[in-house]
Amino acid sequence: MIGNDLQKTSGIGGPLFTALEKYNVRLICHGASSNNLCFLVDHQEAEDIVKMVHKKFIER
């Protein structure tokens, strides 16, 4: 997940983690910058997860 100043934007975590609840997320990392969150997931689910996150947060 990439966006400007994610650490200052409220209301992202709840919907994001709810959207990911059916997936096995092995690691969550607030990246080296203030602009990204990284998730470690099974490679077989990665494309579906990227599409789902894009649809939920970008295609509004």
Side-chain angles (χ1 to χ4, degrees):
M1 179 103 178
I2 299 171
N4 291 332
D5 292 322
L6 285 176
Q7 86 278 11
K8 295 179 184 176
T9 305
S10 62
I12 298 286
L16 178 60
F17 294 122
T18 297
L20 292 170
E21 71 183 348
K22 74 175 193 171
Y23 298 101
N24 182 22
V25 178
R26 294 177 52 206
L27 175 82
I28 302 167
C29 176
H30 190 274
S33 77
S34 61
N35 299 320
N36 68 308
L37 288 171
C38 301
F39 303 93
L40 179 61
V41 297
D42 187 279
H43 72 281
Q44 294 175 350
E45 296 178 323
E47 187 174 341
D48 291 340
I49 292 170
V50 169
K51 288 178 181 178
M52 178 273 301
V53 169
H54 187 270
K55 184 175 183 179
K56 183 162 187 66
F57 292 96
I58 306 298
E59 293 180 9
R60 296 180 169 200

